[in-house]
Amino acid sequence: MRTIIGITGASGSNFAVNLIEKCPSEKYLVASKWGKRVMHEELGLKFEELRSMVDNTFSDSDLASPFASGSNYFDSLVIIPCSISTLNKIASGISDSLITRMAQVALKERRRLIIALRETPLDSITLENALKLSKAGAIIAPISPGVYMGESSIKDMENTFSEKILSLIGVHPDKGWRTEKIKDE
Ligand SMILES: Cc1cc2nc3c(=O)[nH]c(=O)nc-3n(C[C@H](O)[C@H](O)[C@H](O)COP(=O)(O)O)c2cc1C
């Protein structure tokens, strides 16, 4: 299984780092200019420091890189965190960066596209575009970790959210919830 993780300039880069740590598949990483900047501001982490955790990284400005072409297969693209700017660009068919181009490829080739949006509140334009993308096949998975699994720290919330994303791309971690048989009350 081949997964691409795209980091854009929304808050919540810690969720991307957690996903990179947890994702067991072959994995590739791309970050936008603002994705790198916000990650550095939030985590003090440089993009280069993530290189050893993935199979390869690509520049967001490199539209000649392999995954800009539909001929080079990947199973899933997870944009996490996804800014409203990137979501709205994808919905408008703009593909002037590697992340937006790979999203377009995922939609046209009917591959899995997970958009982990991070913004609140949401304006009507973004809501309409999120619906448009959902109808086109994308999965809109806003970063909104639950607390129903006993999460008591940010790390717990990152873990739960990563498990959610992993199940969406077809990786089913052992630790599910309600794995016991459901009985009548
Ligand atoms: C510290 C910081 C935090 C930001 N947080 C968000 C956010 O949570 N959601 C969002 O949509 N944009 C956020 N932005 C704005 C985006 O970075 C900006 O719209 C940028 O153009 C997004 O570009 P990209 O989608 O190509 O990464 C933030 C910017 C900064 C500097």
Side-chain angles (χ1 to χ4, degrees), residues 28-146:
Y28 298 89
L29 181 63
V30 183
S32 71
K33 176 182 149 200
W34 284 101
K36 291 177 185 174
R37 170 72 178 268
V38 175
M39 184 169 69
H40 191 246
E41 286 196 18
E42 290 185 332
L43 307 176
L45 206 59
K46 290 207 172 103
F47 180 69
E48 294 69 35
E49 295 177 66
L50 299 177
R51 283 215 169 110
S52 61
M53 297 164 69
V54 294
D55 290 277
N56 206 352
T57 58
F58 299 101
S59 164
D60 194 36
S61 59
D62 185 7
L63 288 168
S65 94
F67 295 123
S69 165
S71 309
N72 293 309
Y73 188 77
F74 59 86
D75 296 276
S76 306
L77 168 63
V78 183
I79 307 180
I80 177 170
C82 185
S83 71
I84 58 172
S85 171
T86 289
L87 181 147
N88 287 319
K89 277 168 87 174
I90 298 166
S92 307
I94 297 171
S95 52
D96 60 352
S97 64
L98 184 56
I99 293 175
T100 53
R101 170 61 187 163
M102 291 187 301
Q104 191 182 61
V105 167
L107 292 174
K108 82 183 176 76
E109 304 285 339
R110 303 289 191 263
R111 297 179 195 158
R112 203 149 305 184
L113 172 60
I114 315 282
I115 296 183
L117 184 63
R118 212 313 308 179
E119 185 57 284
T120 194
L122 293 171
D123 60 90
S124 312
I125 294 168
T126 303
L127 287 165
E128 281 182 10
N129 279 334
L131 176 62
K132 198 169 161 186
L133 286 171
S134 176
K135 286 181 175 168
I139 297 175
I140 309 295
I143 295 183
S144 57

